Structure formats: structure tokens, C-alpha cells
Amino acid sequence: MDLKLWKVAPLNKDRAAQLAERHSLPFFLAMLLEIRGYHTDEQIEALLGGDAVLSDPFLMKDMDKAAVRIRRAIDDFEKIAVYGDYDADGVTATAMLFTYLEAVGADVLYYIPQREGEGYGMNRHAVELLHGQGVKLIVTVDNGISSVEEVALANSLGMDVVVTDHHRPQEKLPDAVAVVDAYQESDNSPYKDFSGAGVALKLLIALEDGEAEGILEEYADLAVIGTVADAMPITGENRLIVKAGLSSLRRSGRLGVTALLEQSGSSAEQEITATGLSFTLIPRINATGRMGSPDRAVRLLCCEYEEEANALAREICEDNERRRQEEAAISQEAIAAIEKDPSLLYSRVIVVSGKGWHHGVLGIVAARITERFGKPSFVLSEDGEFAKGSGRSVQGFSLFDAVVACGETLERYGGHPMAAGVTLKSENINAFREKINEYAKEKNPEMPAPVLSLDCRLNPASVNAEMPKALQRLEPFGGGNPQPLFGLFGMELREIVPVGNGGHLRLVCQKNGAFLHCMRFRVRQEDFPFTVGDKLDLAVTLDLREYRGELRLTVTARDIRLSGMEDDIALRSYRVYEKFRRREDLTEEERALLSPTRSELAALYRLLASLHGAPFGVQTTALSLKDQGFQLGKLLFCLDMLEERRLAKCSPQSDVMTVQLKKTEGKVDMFASPIYIELQSRQGG
């Protein structure tokens, strides 16, 4: 059930007006700045101005040692290995350092571990392989901070290691010649939140004795890809890197980037944004690591021949299409399994598994499931004795802490609060599922709900093309500076128009005579839980998009709910319903929240009869029966009662449902329903 808490940020209009006057800004832009906490001249200048500079790279701990050791290897023509990672951040960081070292005459190669078989970070086999190739110096990018044993092995084989990373250091650091990571204690760099590619960029500037301009000109196009791909905050020095990178992507002359942009359908004249990268270059680069050999992405980014670049770009785009197909198939299978199994559907943390699911897309599928069901999830692939998987969470529930608490059921694990990866024996999947749900029950008796944060409300009559023009001053958007999200409340749905072969919807909405056309992407009409005439609240973004040579306003609905739906009450009642389905004790108040009266059951039955088996939105129906005493949880419980008493056949409980009423002989005592009797007997809480 897709339930979120919608929260609109507070606005001080007087302060916004003062900002608009003081900085000669459109009021709409000043309003956004005020809402987002930009209240001082210094903050606004740092966001909107163009005078920021990258800090001295030698403020980063061990950067001086790293530069000295790499220069020595260049001068002595020692063989250097750039050890990267298979995601877009690691790939771009690898390409940056490799091409730089090659350009200055170093004897250099690169190594990207395979997702399947090797996994993330340094491994013993790779270290031994590099030693066999005569490597004297390994320089890691986007990994290495936790590779204590692997660095020790390299040392024992006579190889030096320079670690450059951006992940949080653990208690013990590797015994490397230099460890460059801004999150280390005693690191003096004023900005910390770099991607792996961002740290690599700082390393290149250090190798050029702090001269940043030429390095930015040459490598910012790759650094922006890594920064956006790893969802780093687009603030501080990252903002400068991203702005420089976006402006140079088209003119950098990097054949591989040009070929991949063209293969992804991006025209040469089309402006590239940080958001656009997330739909064009980044998923395709990531696909090389998910679906095959990731070193092809490095070859593409370093390519010097147009024919080779075009061939690699086509191959990588084909990989991305295969990735999308795998992702869609596994998502469909996983969601169907969840909706058919109450023990999964109503658990606090969803743990779903399948045999032979492609490991490369499990994280993406987990993100889809968390978005759809509004709760943390793990997607596991069983391959014989062992299973591997990825998890995604919601704000307020640390997935990393959860897997640590379940360590006895796992072989390996790692991650951070919002995402984690695990390896376990297949026979321990049920034990892991039980353990993590026990942990969740103890830490969060009621699981935190996903929150949809809106910048402000909009009057539909005032929405115009000047608004997204004003918002362009806030770009680039990304972590720490998301694309503004606005609320359109109380809009009447007047028309639903399928577009794009039925894969998307154009919604015609109106309020007080003001009409807006809103796009709802990647939703088919049969999965759309609303009907013409419904009053809706829409969370929208505003964009200018080119259409037949003309820039036009595009309103995109990112989320939709029914107007008048009190989401906190709906969510509370649904959580109680889930609690009942998990067979947990209920308080007297919770039992009353689900218990129907005879008149309520009659009202529901009449409504279902009037639908004649047509699909209906579950939340829409709950709202329509609000005056009869219904909330979402009670509606679902009553549908269970009807099905149990063989008065109805219900589809799986998702946002859209169909109910076929059945004819019966004689009267049926609804209150003899076993689940109703069970509900009344639930004690404790």
C-alpha cells in the first residue's frame, strides 16, 4: 500500500520579500530560498554566485604523501595499477586517474573487480594477479578504506598502496603509504562530502601542484558523472565540480561520452542537467557492472577512436536494455510473491527471495519494493548453498544497524542506514527474515512512514513558464539541493489520456476554472487508482522541455493522493491492520479501530454491489465511506470478513482492487466470522 506522510515546508513571506528586494530576485525564487533556509547574504551568494573555488587539496590528510609516492612511480617508470570499482563513480574515477597518468608518461594499467565473483573493493586474488603483472604501486579510487588485509598482502609482496576513498573509515585503517579520505580524523579539508571521482579530482590537482583550472577543464566532465551517480550532496565544492562538469560535457571532446549521449537519445543541442545524467549516462555506465564486464565502461571513457567508441556505446546501451528487462521481470515476480503471501506483505521489513535472480539488479528491485510498500525491504537471490541480496530502507530505520543485529544469521554484510548488502546461507533466509523483523519490532513498534516533503503549495491559476525559468538559478539539483517539489491541492480530475503506447498518462485537472495538464510517467491506466471526478492532491515538479523547437512548461506529477485523505490517520489504521494480520496483540483502542458495526458492513456491501465488479481504488473507497465510520484499516478488515464468509472474492490488496460479490442462500451471520471473533479476543498491546 503506497502511503506517505505529505509535509509542506513552512514559509515566511515577509522574509522572502526582503530577500527578493535585497538580491533583485523574482519573488518565486526568493520564496524557495527562504523555505530552504538560505537566509543570509553569504548563503545565497554561495548558492547562486559563481566565484567559489576548490580548496587546497593538500589540506586532505596524507595527500602530500600520496602525491610524492605517485610522482616517484612516474619518474622511475614503475608499473602503477589504478584499482577502481564497478559502479559509475568508481568507473569515472578510474578513467580520470588512468588517463592522467597515461598522459604524463606513466607505465599504468587499471583493474576493475567483477561484481559477480569478486564483489566490491580490493580482494586477495586481484592483489596477487597485479603482483604477477609486475605492479609496484596500487592506487585505489572509490575503495580501499576498509581493505586492511588486502593492503597487508600487497605490502608483503613488495607492492606499495595509496588509498583514495570517500567511504567512512572503520576503526582500523589499512597500512598504506597514504590514506586519503576526508572523513578521517585530523583531516583538515573544509569540505568532506566528495564522491570517489571527487577525491580522484583532488588527487589530480595535487599532482599538478594545486593548479586546479586545467584539471577542472580536462576532467570535470567525468567527475560530475561520479558525483551525481553516487548521490553526493550538490553543495559546497561538489556544486562547483558539478557546474563545471555539466558545462564541459558537450565540449570536452571525449569520444566515449559523446557516443553514449547519442546512443541514449540525447541530441547534440540539448542541455545536460544533473537530473538528466541520472536517466542517460549514469544507468548505462552502471549497467556494464550489473550485466557483464565493467572495464568496458572505462575503455569507453578512455577511447580515442570514434568507431570503437560507437561500438562500445551500442554494446553498453544493449546491456542497459537487458538490465531494464531483468529488473522489470524480477520486480514483477517479487511483488507478486509479496502480495500473495500475507507473512511478507504485512511484515515490518520485507524479505523476499527467488532462485537465480540476477544479482546486478537486486538493489534496484529493492528500491522499487520499498517505494511501493513504504517499508524497508531486502531482495535475495538463492544460488545453491548461498544467497546474496540488497536492501533499501526508509528514513528513521537504519538498515545497517539492523543487519549488524542479525549478524549471527549472515555470512557477510555491510552498508549504511539507507542501504545494505548481505550474503547468507540459503537455509538461513527464514531465520534472517524472523530476526530482522524481531529487531524492527523492538526498535520501532510502529515503523516510520515514508515522508513526502513539499517545498510549498501552488495556486494552479498562477502556474506558468516563468516559474521553471526562475528555478534554473538553483541548478544543479541533487543531494542536499533536490529539484523543488510543489503541492497542487484539491484538483478535480477531468480527463485521463494514455500516451506513449499506454505506458504513461496525461491528466487534465482543474480547480476554480484553472486547467492544468500533468504528466504521470510510467503508470498505465489499469494501475491508476483514481477516476474522473476525483478530487486529488498532486506533488509536482515544473520543467521547461523542448517540443517542436519551442520550450514549453511541463508539469510532472511525482505522487498523487486523494484530497481529504488524512494520511496520518489512514497510515495509523493501516498499521493496526498489519499488526492484526501479523497476529500481534492489540489494545482495546486498536481493536475498536478495525471493528465494524452492522450498519457499516451494510454500507460497504451496497457500495460494492453498485460497482458490479469494476476495479476501484482502495483509498478512494475508504474516503468515500468516511462518513460511515471507515478508515483504510477497517475497510481492508471488512473485505477480509466478506471473503471469509464467502460473500465476495477479492483481488490481492494493492492500491487497485476488484471484488466480485457472490450469491448465497439464506442469511449469513457476519459476526460469526472467525477473524472477527479473533479480533475481539486479541488482548495486551
Side-chain angles (χ1 to χ4, degrees):
M1 192 66 65
D2 184 14
L3 290 170
K4 299 182 182 70
L5 297 179
W6 289 36
K7 293 188 177 180
V8 181
L11 168 65
N12 185 318
K13 289 188 176 181
D14 292 339
R15 193 156 54 196
Q18 293 169 10
L19 289 179
E21 182 177 358
R22 192 161 68 245
H23 294 275
S24 301
L25 299 173
F27 178 76
F28 182 61
L29 177 58
M31 180 181 71
L32 262 294
L33 291 171
E34 195 285 323
I35 287 169
R36 294 190 169 195
Y38 292 94
H39 298 152
T40 68
D41 294 346
E42 292 77 12
Q43 290 173 321
I44 293 172
E45 187 60 33
L47 183 70
L48 303 182
D51 299 328
V53 295
L54 293 175
S55 62
D56 183 351
F58 292 104
L59 292 174
M60 297 183 77
K61 188 176 187 296
D62 279 5
M63 184 66 87
D64 54 345
K65 297 178 183 177
V68 167
R69 181 63 186 92
I70 294 171
R71 285 197 193 108
R72 193 178 91 209
I74 297 170
D75 293 341
D76 295 346
F77 208 60
E78 295 179 287
K79 190 176 286 291
I80 304 170
V82 180
Y83 196 114
D85 186 33
Y86 44 70
D87 68 4
D89 186 19
V91 162
T92 50
T94 302
M96 289 165 62
L97 184 54
F98 174 77
T99 53
Y100 172 86
L101 291 174
E102 195 174 50
V104 298
D107 182 9
V108 60
L109 57 85
Y110 61 83
Y111 186 89
I112 306 287
Q114 299 285 325
R115 182 187 291 266
E116 295 296 319
E118 292 183 274
Y120 168 77
M122 296 180 73
N123 65 80
R124 295 179 65 88
H125 170 75
V127 172
E128 291 167 350
L129 180 67
L130 293 174
H131 174 255
Q133 294 176 330
V135 169
K136 296 298 182 184
L137 174 64
I138 298 173
V139 184
T140 73
V141 289
D142 193 31
N143 74 96
I145 196 67
S146 60
S147 301
V148 175
E149 293 181 4
E150 291 79 9
V151 171
L153 174 62
N155 292 340
S156 73
L157 294 173
M159 293 187 290
D160 286 342
V161 180
V162 168
V163 170
T164 75
D165 203 348
H166 72 118
H167 296 95
R168 292 328 194 255
Q170 298 181 9
E171 188 173 339
K172 187 176 182 180
L173 294 177
D175 184 22
V177 171
V179 178
V180 180
D181 188 320
Y183 290 113
Q184 291 182 90
E185 291 184 11
S186 70
D187 182 278
N188 294 318
S189 52
Y191 190 77
K192 307 289 186 184
D193 295 327
F194 295 108
S195 64
V199 176
L201 186 78
K202 300 284 279 193
L203 174 64
L204 299 189
I205 295 170
L207 290 170
E208 289 292 305
D209 295 318
E211 294 295 326
E213 186 174 346
I215 294 296
L216 269 177
E217 181 70 22
E218 184 69 22
Y219 296 103
D221 62 325
L222 296 180
V224 63
I225 297 171
T227 300
V228 174
D230 239 33
M232 293 294 104
I234 310 300
T235 57
E237 294 185 42
N238 277 347
R239 188 168 177 80
L240 187 152
I241 292 170
V242 171
K243 290 179 78 171
L246 291 174
S247 68
S248 68
L249 267 168
R250 288 287 185 198
R251 54 182 170 77
S252 70
R254 208 174 299 276
L255 294 175
V257 171
T258 301
L260 198 55
L261 282 170
E262 291 175 353
Q263 289 287 334
S264 63
S266 179
S267 67
E269 300 78 19
Q270 190 174 345
E271 182 184 2
I272 302 173
T273 65
T275 304
L277 285 177
S278 300
F279 297 98
T280 53
L281 296 182
I282 290 170
R284 287 164 174 80
I285 293 172
N286 277 330
T288 64
R290 297 184 188 280
M291 306 307 295
S293 175
D295 73 335
R296 290 169 301 158
V298 182
R299 282 163 46 208
L300 176 72
L301 297 178
C302 301
C303 188
E304 296 181 354
Y305 301 98
E306 186 173 353
E307 187 175 339
E308 182 186 3
N310 289 332
L312 281 169
R314 282 193 297 272
E315 185 179 329
I316 287 170
C317 286
E318 289 169 2
D319 278 352
N320 188 55
E321 184 57 35
R322 284 199 302 121
R323 186 270 306 169
R324 291 173 60 182
Q325 292 171 359
E326 288 275 2
E327 175 193 331
I330 295 172
S331 293
Q332 185 176 17
E333 190 176 342
I335 289 170
I338 292 165
E339 292 186 332
K340 289 177 183 176
D341 186 346
S343 69
L344 296 178
L345 182 61
Y346 303 118
S347 57
R348 287 178 167 83
V349 179
I350 294 173
V351 179
V352 61
S353 63
K355 295 187 185 298
W357 286 349
H358 198 295
H359 293 171
V361 301
L362 298 182
I364 307 174
V365 175
R368 279 196 179 192
I369 288 172
T370 291
E371 170 70 18
R372 182 181 181 101
F373 297 102
K375 57 181 71 175
S377 69
F378 275 91
V379 180
L380 308 176
S381 176
E382 302 174 50
D383 291 302
E385 183 182 356
F386 290 96
K388 291 183 178 180
S390 292
R392 296 295 184 269
S393 194
V394 297
Q395 289 289 343
F397 184 81
S398 171
L399 218 54
F400 180 71
D401 290 346
V403 296
V404 169
C406 301
E408 64 193 50
T409 67
L410 304 171
E411 301 296 308
R412 294 180 61 187
Y413 57 85
H416 54 80
M418 296 301 291
V422 296
T423 301
L424 68 163
K425 291 182 177 179
S426 297
E427 65 186 26
N428 287 339
I429 290 176
N430 285 335
F432 171 62
R433 182 182 291 118
E434 292 174 7
K435 185 75 174 177
I436 200 168
N437 274 283
E438 288 171 6
Y439 171 85
K441 181 180 179 181
E442 181 180 336
K443 295 292 290 186
N444 297 86
E446 186 165 323
M447 293 293 287
V451 173
L452 185 72
S453 298
L454 301 173
D455 284 281
C456 66
R457 296 169 176 259
L458 290 182
N459 179 350
S462 68
V463 175
N464 58 66
E466 294 303 313
M467 289 179 165
K469 285 182 182 177
L471 296 178
Q472 288 174 346
R473 295 281 303 276
L474 296 178
E475 291 193 24
F477 298 125
N481 182 41
Q483 184 176 12
L485 190 64
F486 304 103
L488 292 167
F489 291 84
M491 304 291 293
E492 182 185 351
L493 182 59
R494 298 292 294 270
E495 193 176 354
I496 305 169
V497 183
V499 295
N501 295 320
H504 316 293
L505 300 176
R506 184 171 69 245
L507 310 176
V508 181
C509 303
Q510 76 88 27
K511 181 179 180 181
N512 298 331
F515 283 79
L516 280 179
H517 289 230
C518 303
M519 293 303 302
R520 182 66 165 151
F521 291 109
R522 291 176 293 280
V523 175
R524 304 182 70 85
Q525 187 162 11
E526 57 264 33
D527 299 321
F528 190 61
F530 309 107
T531 58
V532 170
D534 284 346
K535 288 284 186 71
L536 304 177
D537 299 335
L538 297 92
V540 302
T541 54
L542 306 178
D543 299 280
L544 285 176
R545 297 191 180 180
E546 187 175 329
Y547 181 73
R548 295 180 178 176
E550 181 182 344
L551 286 176
R552 294 188 179 182
L553 171 68
T554 299
V555 182
T556 303
R558 304 294 182 184
D559 209 339
I560 304 176
R561 70 174 184 183
L562 284 164
S563 290
M565 174 68 73
E566 297 171 292
D567 47 20
D568 54 341
I569 296 175
L571 183 67
R572 167 65 178 153
S573 72
Y574 183 68
R575 291 289 195 240
V576 172
Y577 173 74
E578 287 188 313
K579 194 174 177 182
F580 170 78
R581 293 299 301 262
R582 290 193 299 265
R583 308 187 69 84
E584 295 177 9
D585 289 336
L586 302 177
T587 65
E588 184 176 345
E589 177 190 1
E590 289 171 335
R591 292 199 303 274
L593 199 60
L594 300 183
S595 298
T597 64
R598 194 176 302 278
S599 62
E600 289 168 351
L601 284 167
L604 173 60
Y605 193 89
R606 287 193 297 271
L607 177 62
L608 294 174
S610 70
L611 294 173
H612 303 291
F616 63 91
V618 178
Q619 296 184 53
T620 307
T621 301
L623 185 62
S624 69
L625 292 169
K626 180 180 176 181
D627 291 342
Q628 279 76 39
F630 278 87
Q631 292 294 345
L632 182 58
K634 181 181 287 188
L635 171 62
L636 294 172
F637 181 79
C638 290
L639 290 172
D640 289 343
M641 288 178 65
L642 288 170
E643 188 160 38
E644 186 184 66
R645 302 305 282 163
R646 299 183 180 179
L647 293 175
K649 175 63 178 175
C650 303
S651 69
Q653 288 164 348
S654 57
D655 287 326
V656 178
M657 180 179 288
T658 58
V659 174
Q660 297 287 342
L661 296 179
K662 296 183 176 182
K663 294 182 179 180
T664 60
E665 295 183 7
K667 291 186 176 181
V668 176
D669 184 0
M670 291 296 297
F671 297 104
S673 162
I675 63 167
Y676 180 81
I677 295 170
E678 181 186 353
L679 173 65
Q680 305 312 312
S681 68
R682 291 284 179 90
Q683 301 294 323

